[in-house]
Amino acid sequence: MEFGFLQVADVSYLGEGNYNIVCALKNSNKVLRIPKLVPDSDVIADEYTSREFLEEVTAPLIGRQFVRIGVVVFVSYKFLEDLELHLQTIRPASRLARPINLSNNRCLLFDNCLLLPATINSSAPVWAVEIKPKSGFLPTSNYMSAEVKKTVSRYQMMQRYKLSRGEIQTISEFCPLSLFSNSIDRMRQSVAAMVDDPQNNFKLFKDGVKIFDESLPFPDAHVVELCSASRSAKENIVDLVTLMLSTCGVLQHILAIQKLDIFDVEGVVLFVDRLRSLQGCSVIHESVPHQYFKEIVNMFHAGTLIEHIQDVEPDSATEEQCWIVIAMFLLAAAAKDCSILIAFQPINSLQDLDSTAESVQAVAQESGQPFRYRVSAIDCDVKPVSKIGHYLSLDMKIVQVYHEMSVRLSSPP
């Protein structure tokens, strides 16, 4: 597909992560993922390989109904230069250290997950929420040096770490363990906690425009049409998100990938050390060879993956076993940091749902109001092997701060 004539006026900035900037194409239900310039040690792959990874690894693991594959498109270098200048005053200051990669004109074009396919005649707005579910289980690895990691969720420890650094003002009551629990009551409490204190975990959109997050107050006036006689708009949002999450099954798919982290980062670094020894090198700069991810997909669906690897010891692991352990950890890390986007729209009846619309489902509230909706898992890219050292360092700092704060709170005044 040729996008050589695309201009800055044709797109609007949506957001970004460490590796890509995402812009919406105006007058379209598409978004463009544009690579950023990153250090050589952080390079994962070009957009061809990124798409292949989504197609052959991410989608089979998380579920094709939840993953948008996208297509590779080529934009002009002038467009990239103009966009870089245009976004200087729009992008968050904390992100400006990584500019657009002006030497790479390959981008990925995706469906805009904040919208729904225009397959029915409706003037009703399309709502969307973005949530970051975080890690939904407590690890049990024998390689962990801190027992607290087996009893306190990573998210709650991270909250105290952020509080100590002044990154947040209060500790959120959001509990990822409850969100992944399959208990409707616990899930609802967890979603409500995200809405009450969004931080970076909850955003609300209307027709593709963000109207609520940690920096924007809850827009009661905007969502009046979601109110009912007995419940507020905020309560209805919480109920709807809980209902759709409990119905679609995406959390169970994500949790299964998160649980591929069976050794914890403290164990995985030992496999990295073993791999360096086997390869005779001091640092592993390369990404995990694609073949090992494909092996994981095959064993995962055959139900033999954990059995195949759980008893492997770092001191005697083969090169293949090291790569598989590392790949499993990186997949799990991506699943712990992914986002879920749910786009939904009220419809007149469940019969209005167009069965030809890909991955669109229908659900009805207790009040009887039906909605059509689509769930997407995004930001599932795996990080390079070089990030594992950072993960270990951060893990140690988080545990240390949690212990220090616990001691202070338990000490008599």
Side-chain angles (χ1 to χ4, degrees), residues 161 165 392-402 404:
Y161 178 71
R165 292 166 55 87
L392 177 63
S393 175
L394 180 61
D395 185 77
M396 295 171 66
K397 291 176 183 176
I398 291 170
V399 171
Q400 180 181 354
V401 168
Y402 184 83
E404 290 173 353

Side-chain angles (χ1 to χ4, degrees), residues 34-135:
I34 303 160
K36 295 163 70 170
L37 188 64
V38 298
D40 289 343
S41 61
D42 275 9
V43 172
I44 305 172
D46 62 24
E47 294 307 308
Y48 282 120
T49 311
S50 294
R51 187 192 182 283
E52 180 184 25
F53 192 87
L54 285 171
E55 176 74 43
E56 298 184 359
V57 180
T58 308
L61 288 175
I62 293 182
R64 294 190 182 278
Q65 68 272 37
F66 303 122
V67 178
R68 313 296 155 228
I69 303 299
V71 295
V72 176
V73 298
F74 295 87
V75 298
S76 71
Y77 292 106
K78 185 178 187 307
F79 167 75
L80 295 177
E81 293 170 359
D82 292 345
L83 185 63
E84 171 64 21
L85 288 174
H86 174 70
L87 294 181
Q88 287 295 312
T89 58
I90 299 175
R91 298 173 60 197
S94 60
R95 296 288 193 181
L96 293 176
R98 290 189 173 185
I100 290 174
N101 187 345
L102 300 180
S103 65
N104 181 4
N105 72 332
R106 296 186 298 270
C107 303
L108 277 178
L109 185 71
F110 293 93
D111 285 344
N112 189 339
C113 297
L114 300 175
L115 303 173
L116 287 168
T119 56
I120 65 172
N121 185 19
S122 174
S123 59
V126 176
W127 305 89
V129 295
E130 177 183 351
I131 67 172
K132 282 189 169 292
K134 301 300 182 181
S135 179

Side-chain angles (χ1 to χ4, degrees), residues 190-226:
S190 192
V191 173
M194 281 193 283
V195 175
D196 288 339
D197 186 8
Q199 295 191 18
N200 191 39
N201 301 318
F202 189 94
K203 299 174 185 177
L204 176 65
F205 302 81
K206 183 179 181 181
D207 289 330
V209 178
K210 184 169 62 179
I211 60 174
F212 174 62
D213 67 358
E214 60 186 323
S215 63
L216 298 170
F218 192 84
D220 290 284
H222 279 271
V223 294
V224 64
E225 57 260 62
L226 289 179

Side-chain angles (χ1 to χ4, degrees), residues 34 38 50 79 97 131 175 345 347 356 359 372 378:
I34 303 160
V38 298
S50 294
F79 167 75
I131 67 172
C175 178
Q345 181 184 41
I347 54 180
T356 64
S359 302
R372 67 176 186 137
I378 65 170

